[in-house]
Amino acid sequence: MTVALLTSSIPVAVAQPTATTTTVPGRERPMATVRSDESHARDWGLSAEDWTRYRELMQGPLGVYSPALDPLTALGIEARSEEERRRYAELQVQAEARRVGKTLAYQRAYDEAWQRLFPGQLRVSLPGAKVQGAGNTGSGRLAVFVKDDCAPCAQRVQQLQAAGTAFDLYMVGTRQDDARIRQWAIEVGIDPARVRARTITLNHDAGRWLSLGLPGDLPAVVREANGEWLRQ
């Protein structure tokens, strides 16, 4: 069931950090917070200055409109020069390549385990997909499975939308409540025009995610290839 998105937009309040920031002169931040920031910055390939700017950006309008935005996307959007924009784009490509590599490695391990434990047994097909012969043929679009209260889910959807990607979104655990999907879509900033044009569709999961039998947690971006659904 496809859900229509409300055309209005509801700003989302962003919780203010309790730790004292480095922008206030004469005050020192707790060492545990400093170490945590340094660790987070390294995880994204950023400097301490980059991370401080990211925190400041997320306390402003950007954080209100897109509260779950990842550091590289946020800094890239608000880049102060073409050089900065290129650097953040390169860092994000590298991070995505690492993530996809790990996902594919686990997918291969999962496929091997399936063949070892259930040799010759077919996997369950995605409900609602067209079936041709022995395979399961999809629409050719990405299927994106998300759930509520999931910051990575919001980040992934925002990235796909920013890239102009067409996809079908399936929300897990809605209990067929249309208002729940609408509210989530508004909070993460899904463009109503994209929904009206059906380049993005909003749907109840209705058991589809479990039926795929794929490994890993949500969010999951999957596409059908030769009758089999694979994580991207």
Side-chain angles (χ1 to χ4, degrees):
M1 175 180 178
T2 300
V3 181
L5 177 66
L6 294 177
T7 58
S8 60
S9 176
I10 301 177
V12 181
V14 178
Q16 297 298 320
T18 56
T20 305
T21 65
T22 56
T23 58
V24 180
R27 296 184 184 178
E28 295 182 358
R29 298 173 63 199
M31 287 303 297
T33 302
V34 173
R35 284 195 295 270
S36 177
D37 283 357
E38 291 175 349
S39 176
H40 286 309
R42 284 195 301 270
D43 289 343
W44 292 93
L46 297 170
S47 67
E49 292 77 13
D50 287 330
W51 191 259
T52 298
R53 175 164 165 74
Y54 164 65
R55 287 166 58 92
E56 292 171 351
L57 288 172
M58 296 308 289
Q59 293 176 33
L62 183 64
V64 174
Y65 286 115
S66 303
L69 209 57
D70 67 272
L72 296 175
T73 300
L75 290 166
I77 290 172
E78 296 293 335
R80 293 163 293 190
S81 67
E82 285 299 324
E83 182 181 356
E84 271 195 351
R85 189 172 292 106
R86 283 194 297 270
R87 181 166 71 89
Y88 295 132
E90 289 176 0
L91 286 172
Q92 187 149 28
V93 168
Q94 293 167 1
E96 285 292 309
R98 289 192 296 270
R99 184 189 64 80
V100 171
K102 292 177 182 178
T103 301
L104 291 177
Y106 185 65
Q107 180 72 55
R108 288 191 292 270
Y110 179 90
D111 292 341
E112 291 169 1
W114 181 278
Q115 293 301 323
R116 185 173 63 255
L117 297 174
F118 303 101
Q121 182 173 332
L122 294 177
R123 300 185 194 182
V124 180
S125 298
L126 177 66
K130 299 177 182 178
V131 178
Q132 296 179 352
N136 186 3
T137 303
S139 65
R141 293 155 60 107
L142 290 177
V144 183
F145 292 88
V146 301
K147 60 184 177 181
D148 204 0
D149 295 325
C150 169
C153 295
Q155 291 174 355
R156 195 71 181 102
V157 168
Q158 288 164 353
Q159 290 169 352
L160 290 169
Q161 178 173 254
T165 306
F167 59 90
D168 301 315
L169 183 143
Y170 295 91
M171 191 169 186
V172 176
T174 62
R175 298 183 180 180
Q176 302 300 109
D177 184 354
D178 292 356
R180 191 170 178 181
I181 299 183
R182 292 194 192 99
Q183 183 61 32
W184 187 88
I186 291 170
E187 289 176 356
V188 302
I190 291 180
D191 184 357
R194 297 282 304 277
V195 177
R196 288 193 295 270
R198 298 190 64 77
T199 56
I200 297 175
T201 68
L202 307 177
N203 311 276
H204 298 290
D205 166 67
R208 289 175 172 83
W209 171 240
L210 289 178
S211 77
L212 290 180
L214 293 176
D217 200 0
L218 301 180
V221 180
V222 303
R223 190 193 297 274
E224 182 271 335
N226 299 321
E228 186 174 8
W229 289 84
L230 301 173
R231 294 186 76 129
Q232 302 296 296

